[in-house]
């Protein structure tokens, strides 16, 4: 979709971009060809130079060029062309804020490989692996996950970000991640009722009681978050394309189902639920 976009060019807003599309100019190459025959100010030399810059930056995979020139609400347009540069990311914490709390686990997925990081084991490996990617895809990550990571590790993440919370809200799907999943027909096998608050109890059960099954359940939950982000990204991208109303814009195919590396332990979940909700 980025190759169909003109809104990143100075002086071209939503209305002008629509005019360009309505003029049957759907790609940067179309724009270049149109500029040779049209006297319309839309295709003036200044805009043409920006289009040629876009072609050059795309060929060199300069993700941040487009991320920094697109309006914040249009970052989703990066996805199709830069899908292989994306990392789906979710963290779990002990329930504290980004200054007083700590990260318990992190799960990432790049469309091929799942990785997970556990506090006290391999958590620091994350700050090496994260820089293999250019785009971070999260749910509410701009407000929570990314600031928490930066404060906790004392690092700066200058990656492009696609926060599905805002994209899905623009499509009419609001609430937390689990709510959006349910609204869009995604189900979590064996993890219904497990949320971020419950995840803190899973960590405590592992940390204080050495319950390995609690850690495995926590990781199953954390990983499910990250792999479901890919499903939601594909759904949201295609819905955005549909809403533009032009058949010329390509959608992304349905993503293949990722297999979670861990399974939830139902007895552990039941025991924790009984303690939380019934004060046993």
């Amino acid at each position: 979709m980025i190759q169909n976009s003109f809104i990143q060019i100075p002086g071209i807003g939503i209305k002008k971009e629509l005019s360009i599309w309505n003029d049957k100019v759907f790609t940067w190459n179309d724009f270049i060809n149109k500029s040779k025959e049209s006297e319309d100010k839309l295709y003036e030399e200044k805009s043409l130079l920006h289009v040629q810059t876009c072609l050059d930056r795309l060929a060199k995979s300069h993700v941040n060029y487009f991320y920094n020139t697109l309006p914040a609400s249009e970052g989703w347009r990066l996805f199709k062309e830069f899908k292989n540069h994306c990392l789906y990311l979710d963290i779990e914490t002990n329930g504290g804020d980004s200054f007083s709390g700590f990260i318990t686990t992190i799960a990432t997925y790049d469309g091929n490989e799942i990785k997970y990081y556990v506090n006290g084991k391999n958590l620091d490996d994350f700050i090496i692996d994260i820089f293999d990617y250019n785009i971070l895809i999260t749910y509410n990550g701009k407000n929570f996950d990314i600031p928490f990571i930066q404060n906790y590790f004392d690092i700066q993440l200058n990656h492009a970000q696609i926060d599905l919370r805002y994209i899905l809200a623009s499509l009419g799907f609001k609430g937390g991640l689990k709510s959006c999943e349910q609204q869009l027909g995604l189900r979590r096998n064996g993890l219904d009722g497990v949320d971020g608050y419950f995840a803190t109890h899973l960590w405590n059960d592992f940390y204080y009681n050495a319950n390995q099954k609690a850690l495995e359940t926590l990781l199953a939950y954390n990983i499910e978050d990250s792999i479901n982000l890919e499903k939601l990204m594909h759904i949201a991208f295609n819905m955005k394309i549909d809403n533009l109303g032009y058949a010329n814009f390509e959608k992304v195919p349905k993503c293949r189902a990722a297999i979670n590396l861990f399974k939830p332990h139902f007895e552990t979940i039941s025991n924790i639920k009984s303690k939380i909700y019934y004060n046993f």
Side-chain angles (χ1 to χ4, degrees):
M1 180 63 206
I2 194 65
Q3 297 181 75
N4 311 112
S5 299
F6 300 95
I7 200 172
Q8 74 276 11
I9 296 172
I12 297 181
I14 293 174
K15 289 183 179 180
K16 284 189 178 181
E17 184 178 60
L18 287 173
S19 295
I20 292 170
W21 290 338
N22 289 335
D23 213 10
K24 300 190 184 306
V25 174
F26 295 110
T27 68
W28 299 333
N29 285 325
D30 289 344
F31 190 99
I32 292 170
N33 292 332
K34 187 74 174 180
S35 69
K36 296 175 182 177
E37 61 186 45
S38 176
E39 296 182 359
D40 192 317
K41 287 186 177 180
L42 278 174
Y43 306 101
E44 61 187 2
E45 185 69 20
K46 182 174 65 175
S47 296
L48 180 60
L49 287 173
H50 282 288
V51 167
Q52 291 170 332
T53 298
C54 286
L55 283 165
D56 178 66
R57 296 301 179 95
L58 180 61
K60 295 175 180 176
S61 297
H62 287 178
V63 175
N64 275 1
Y65 172 79
F66 298 103
Y67 180 67
N68 292 327
T69 53
L70 283 170
S73 61
E74 301 299 317
W76 64 271
R77 297 189 187 197
L78 293 167
F79 180 63
K80 184 175 182 296
E81 284 82 356
F82 294 113
K83 188 166 60 170
N84 293 333
H85 296 260
C86 292
L87 186 69
Y88 305 95
L89 165 69
D90 183 75
I91 72 171
E92 301 302 330
T93 74
N94 69 328
D97 62 31
S98 60
F99 294 98
S100 63
F102 63 86
I103 295 171
T104 56
T105 63
I106 302 175
T108 66
Y109 180 54
D110 64 4
N112 293 299
E113 183 179 10
I114 295 168
K115 290 187 177 182
Y116 60 92
Y117 309 85
V118 179
N119 196 318
K121 296 190 176 184
N122 67 334
L123 198 61
D124 286 346
D125 291 348
F126 169 80
I127 61 177
I128 298 172
D129 296 342
I130 189 69
F131 291 102
D132 290 337
Y133 302 89
N134 300 114
I135 303 175
L136 304 180
I137 299 180
T138 62
Y139 189 93
N140 199 35
K142 286 186 176 181
N143 291 325
F144 182 72
D145 301 70
I146 303 306
F148 209 114
I149 288 169
Q150 291 183 143
N151 285 330
Y152 184 79
F153 291 109
D154 192 23
I155 60 172
Q156 189 66 35
L157 299 179
N158 295 317
H159 301 63
Q161 294 185 50
I162 300 177
D163 192 328
L164 283 166
R165 174 187 172 186
Y166 300 103
I167 298 171
L168 290 170
S170 73
L171 292 166
F173 302 98
K174 298 182 179 181
L177 174 60
K178 316 306 176 295
S179 174
C180 289
E181 289 175 0
Q182 291 170 3
Q183 292 173 63
L184 289 164
L186 302 183
R187 295 290 178 265
R188 294 179 169 233
N189 295 327
L191 287 165
D192 292 333
V194 178
D195 56 17
Y197 172 68
F198 197 95
T200 65
H201 289 273
L202 287 168
W203 174 260
N204 289 339
D205 193 17
F206 159 69
Y207 187 79
Y208 293 108
N209 302 323
N211 183 355
Q212 188 66 27
K213 294 298 182 182
L215 176 60
E216 292 175 9
T217 303
L218 174 59
L219 289 169
Y221 168 74
N222 194 185
I223 289 170
E224 196 75 9
D225 278 354
S226 66
I227 62 179
N228 278 357
L229 289 173
E230 182 191 35
K231 299 173 188 176
L232 291 173
M233 184 69 243
H234 280 241
I235 292 169
F237 181 88
N238 288 339
M239 290 182 73
K240 282 288 194 180
I241 294 293
D242 284 337
N243 286 351
L244 291 175
Y246 295 90
N248 303 72
F249 303 151
E250 291 185 14
K251 297 181 181 180
V252 291
K254 184 178 180 181
C255 57
R256 64 183 181 85
I259 299 174
N260 201 321
L261 302 177
F262 295 93
K263 296 183 182 299
H265 189 247
F266 300 119
E267 183 179 347
T268 293
I269 292 174
S270 179
N271 289 339
I272 291 176
K273 281 183 177 180
S274 68
K275 293 175 182 177
I276 294 174
Y277 302 117
Y278 301 106
N279 295 317
F280 287 168

